[in-house]
Amino acid sequence: MNLNLRNAILHNVSGNSQDELKDTIVDAIQNGEEKMLPGLGVLFEVIWRNSSEEDKQEMLQTLESGLK
């Protein structure tokens, strides 16, 4: 993904409330629009970078379970 797209995504959600962030995530998943999917990746990166090792382990377990 190019840096401009990544920065645009971060700029668009910067300062959003939890409700606004939830709406963005739910819309991207429900619509399944290709152009929205990179945004989910950027949001996940923010979550990952700001999570404890314990939180990361929980996310990995959730992913593993969901992919079985």
Side-chain angles (χ1 to χ4, degrees):
M1 177 185 330
N2 73 38
L3 195 58
N4 290 340
L5 178 58
R6 187 176 177 284
N7 288 339
I9 291 164
L10 289 171
H11 180 75
N12 286 341
V13 297
S14 183
N16 279 10
S17 68
Q18 287 186 25
D19 284 343
E20 290 168 324
L21 290 168
K22 181 179 177 184
D23 289 345
T24 298
I25 292 166
V26 170
D27 285 350
I29 292 170
Q30 284 180 346
N31 294 333
E33 287 185 39
E34 202 60 35
K35 66 178 181 163
M36 293 291 283
L37 298 180
L40 292 180
V42 173
L43 292 179
F44 182 76
E45 180 188 334
V46 172
I47 292 168
W48 186 263
R49 286 178 185 255
N50 291 281
S51 294
S52 66
E53 286 306 313
E54 190 177 308
D55 288 342
K56 288 177 182 177
Q57 194 59 47
E58 190 175 328
M59 283 187 271
L60 292 169
Q61 287 169 351
T62 301
L63 282 168
E64 185 182 39
S65 297
L67 294 170
K68 283 186 176 165

